[in-house]
Amino acid sequence: MYSIFLDYCFSITCLLSQGTYRPRCCPVSRFVHSPLRPVSLQKVDDRSVDRAVFLLDRDSLIYCAYAAAAPNTLASAFDLRSSRLTSGLSVSSVDLNQPIAHLAIAFRTGIVPINDHCSLSAGSRHQSATEAGFAHRLRNALGGDSRRAKGLTMLWQAGAIGANVHATADRENIILSMSFPRSQASLGASLLSELAQPSLEAWELEDSLDTIKSDVAHLSTYERVSQLLHEAAFRNGPLGQSPLCGPHNTGSVNYRKLQDYAASRLNMQVASECAVVGVNVDHGELQSFFAERAFIQENKNRKEQASSSYHGHGESRREGCSTGVAVAVAGEGPSLGGDAKRLAAGAVAATIAQKVLSSSSVFYQPYSDSGLLGFYVESVADGTTAAKIKDSINKFKTLETSVDESAVQGAKAATKVAILTKADKGAELASSLASSVLSPSRDLHSPSDVAALVDSLSVNDVKEVARLAGARLSLGALGSIRHVPYLDEC
């Protein structure tokens, strides 16, 4: 259930560069990758942000408090069904009685099948120093040929039924999703299952080089600062690795090296590391279809992912040619592998932090074994920049003092409304539920259950999270870094 908080309830959060990339087109323009943009202090267009939602001002919080008290038919009628096939594959579905169906296939920490004998890790946290950028190359290869069909043919077939296909990659998961008319569920499931099995032939990897270079060249300032923050927070740990190729390694790679890398990781295809979620798709039909598919099997000898602990007290700075400066500061936040109540408290604490740091964009990014709670700010570099950044850091350090009964009640109301509102958006719901199934708890809860958990939080629950976040800070800065104070100066 933990990713439900990540994808539903952040009324103030833009996920801190977890690795979803700018849009690009595959052989058919309908295969579009979802973008990640930093949020502003205004409403964010749903089309331009994959999983971010709204930044709420004071009036919005008041509106949310009234809206939360109103009955929600979606919450009471939310029939969430989940089952596990004999192969170990998790299949979940929910019917919102909408005309468009949404299907998502997610791979945890990136175990994506290549052929009958090997598979490869998709999440960047599994890359070694010599394998940097492999998750990026894998994401960009989706939509190519599979073992049984040509990629161009499949994408044209998807276009013929009006389908949209999206691929996103982050530090822990790769998600391939498709939206199509619900009457085309069988064809949509068939196409998506094949698109999720790239053959990764040498010529296909060569064809994707231009898109990789374009992704790197068009990185936003926010995404660059995000990576610096992760390096400072997690140092040489798996979560400190970038999900993208660096500017120095966007060229051709040795095909055999990639195959050797895959074979050295795992020698079986994995179903227990994969989840399928359908929205507005019949559960029995979905279950029957994937039960007949043999492309994913159970791996009883899988290797556990390497842990990545939060260190804190680190700084990563990079001088830029810009006259401005961008800074991200964060502390340790609750992880996906911890108590669900603490995760909910992290979302509420982030909402309160946004109200305190009104000139910044607050984020909360939990991972399976760690998390980040902090803020991001961009500014023109001048004589007042250092003082403003220092003031924001000090406010975040003392966030605990801003947590009182009134603040918690308002933040809880906003979070609950965001949860129930998010549940009505099928495409986002499919991806978020798929991530939830692959979280350490592997639990699924309805939006009303999650809202009830948020409602059960006490002031002390939120204060504990705020105290942890302000204790050991990390900083990432890009641009005119001479205007950025060091953490020990704040």
Side-chain angles (χ1 to χ4, degrees):
M1 67 171 285
Y2 297 151
S3 290
I4 290 179
F5 293 108
L6 182 69
D7 294 301
Y8 286 157
C9 54
F10 293 170
S11 52
I12 40 73
T13 299
C14 175
L15 304 189
L16 180 59
S17 186
Q18 207 181 331
T20 45
Y21 311 126
R22 288 177 173 272
R24 73 167 182 85
C25 295
C26 274
V28 172
S29 60
R30 290 183 180 274
F31 188 85
V32 181
H33 296 289
S34 300
L36 176 67
R37 308 276 189 184
V39 292
S40 65
L41 298 181
Q42 305 297 327
K43 180 179 177 181
V44 179
D45 191 340
D46 289 337
R47 294 171 298 178
S48 64
V49 178
D50 190 30
R51 288 189 286 177
V53 289
F54 297 101
L55 297 182
L56 299 181
D57 56 21
R58 184 175 180 179
D59 293 335
S60 298
L61 289 174
I62 296 175
Y63 170 80
C64 289
Y66 284 102
N72 187 286
T73 56
L74 173 65
S76 59
F78 198 91
D79 182 19
L80 181 60
R81 304 181 62 186
S82 183
S83 58
R84 186 175 293 275
L85 305 182
T86 55
S87 64
L89 178 66
S90 298
V91 178
S92 305
S93 68
V94 62
D95 195 342
L96 303 179
N97 296 314
Q98 296 171 341
I100 301 300
H102 310 275
L103 190 63
I105 299 180
F107 300 92
R108 178 168 60 179
T109 59
I111 300 194
V112 176
I114 295 180
N115 53 44
D116 292 332
H117 305 291
C118 64
S119 59
L120 57 91
S121 50
S124 61
R125 66 178 300 159
H126 282 276
Q127 299 170 162
S128 68
T130 59
E131 298 158 350
F134 196 74
H136 188 183
R137 295 179 186 277
L138 175 61
R139 197 295 307 268
N140 283 32
L142 293 174
D145 296 349
S146 71
R147 289 173 292 156
R148 292 179 288 196
K150 296 296 183 181
L152 186 59
T153 301
M154 290 187 289
L155 291 172
W156 275 112
Q157 289 178 329
I161 63 173
N164 289 319
V165 185
H166 299 264
T168 58
D170 55 46
R171 285 177 163 81
E172 298 195 307
N173 299 324
I174 274 187
I175 301 178
L176 184 63
S177 59
M178 177 184 286
S179 300
F180 46 84
R182 63 183 300 158
S183 60
Q184 301 289 342
S186 296
L187 179 56
S190 178
L191 290 173
L192 194 64
S193 63
E194 287 296 330
L195 290 170
Q197 307 168 71
S199 60
L200 299 181
E201 300 292 349
W203 54 87
E204 291 187 312
L205 295 174
E206 191 74 21
D207 290 341
S208 67
L209 291 181
D210 288 340
T211 64
I212 291 175
K213 294 177 181 178
S214 177
D215 290 338
V216 174
H218 293 90
L219 277 178
S220 68
T221 302
Y222 184 83
E223 292 167 314
R224 297 178 190 276
V225 174
S226 159
Q227 178 56 33
L228 293 175
L229 177 62
H230 277 76
E231 292 172 0
F234 301 107
R235 299 185 182 178
N236 290 329
L239 289 177
Q241 301 182 74
S242 174
L244 297 103
C245 292
H248 59 282
N249 66 343
T250 57
S252 300
V253 293
N254 186 288
Y255 172 68
R256 293 186 179 275
K257 181 179 179 181
L258 291 179
Q259 291 297 316
D260 291 342
Y261 163 81
S264 67
R265 290 289 180 172
L266 293 168
N267 57 11
M268 293 182 66
Q269 297 169 339
V270 182
S272 59
E273 302 302 309
C274 178
V276 176
V277 172
V279 176
N280 301 320
V281 178
D282 180 77
H283 186 77
E285 182 179 351
L286 197 63
Q287 190 175 11
S288 299
F289 177 84
F290 283 97
E292 298 172 356
R293 307 290 287 183
F295 74 90
I296 306 176
Q297 301 173 358
E298 176 70 18
N299 180 12
K300 301 182 183 297
N301 300 314
R302 73 175 181 90
K303 299 179 181 178
E304 295 295 330
Q305 69 178 24
S307 62
S308 189
S309 302
Y310 177 82
H311 291 275
H313 302 302
E315 300 186 33
S316 183
R317 298 160 171 260
R318 185 169 301 166
E319 185 76 43
C321 59
S322 173
T323 57
V325 62
V327 180
V329 178
E332 184 176 7
S335 69
L336 297 174
D339 179 58
K341 200 169 184 178
R342 280 180 54 81
L343 196 68
V348 174
T351 307
I352 296 174
Q354 182 61 66
K355 186 175 181 181
V356 174
L357 301 170
S358 57
S359 61
S360 305
S361 296
V362 173
F363 58 84
Y364 169 39
Q365 179 55 67
Y367 295 106
S368 59
D369 49 7
S370 189
L372 292 176
L373 174 58
F375 66 92
Y376 170 82
V377 61
E378 286 188 39
S379 174
V380 176
D382 56 31
T384 64
T385 301
K388 291 178 181 178
I389 295 175
K390 184 180 293 187
D391 180 63
S392 295
I393 292 175
N394 288 328
K395 285 182 178 180
F396 188 77
K397 279 184 175 181
T398 58
L399 179 62
E400 178 189 356
T401 61
S402 300
V403 179
D404 54 27
E405 185 66 30
S406 176
V408 170
Q409 291 302 320
K412 285 164 61 174
T415 301
K416 289 186 293 182
V417 170
I419 292 172
L420 300 179
T421 302
K422 205 74 168 175
D424 199 31
K425 300 177 181 179
E428 298 174 6
L429 180 61
S431 296
S432 64
L433 289 177
S435 297
S436 298
V437 176
L438 297 183
S439 67
S441 70
R442 305 185 76 90
D443 290 337
L444 277 177
H445 290 253
S446 70
S448 55
D449 293 335
V450 179
L453 183 60
V454 171
D455 202 33
S456 68
L457 294 174
S458 66
V459 174
N460 288 334
D461 293 332
V462 182
K463 275 194 173 185
E464 182 182 351
V465 171
R467 185 184 306 115
L468 177 67
R472 294 179 299 148
L473 298 182
S474 300
L475 180 146
L478 178 66
S480 185
I481 59 175
R482 294 185 181 181
H483 292 84
V484 180
Y486 285 85
L487 290 174
D488 58 8
E489 297 174 349
C490 301

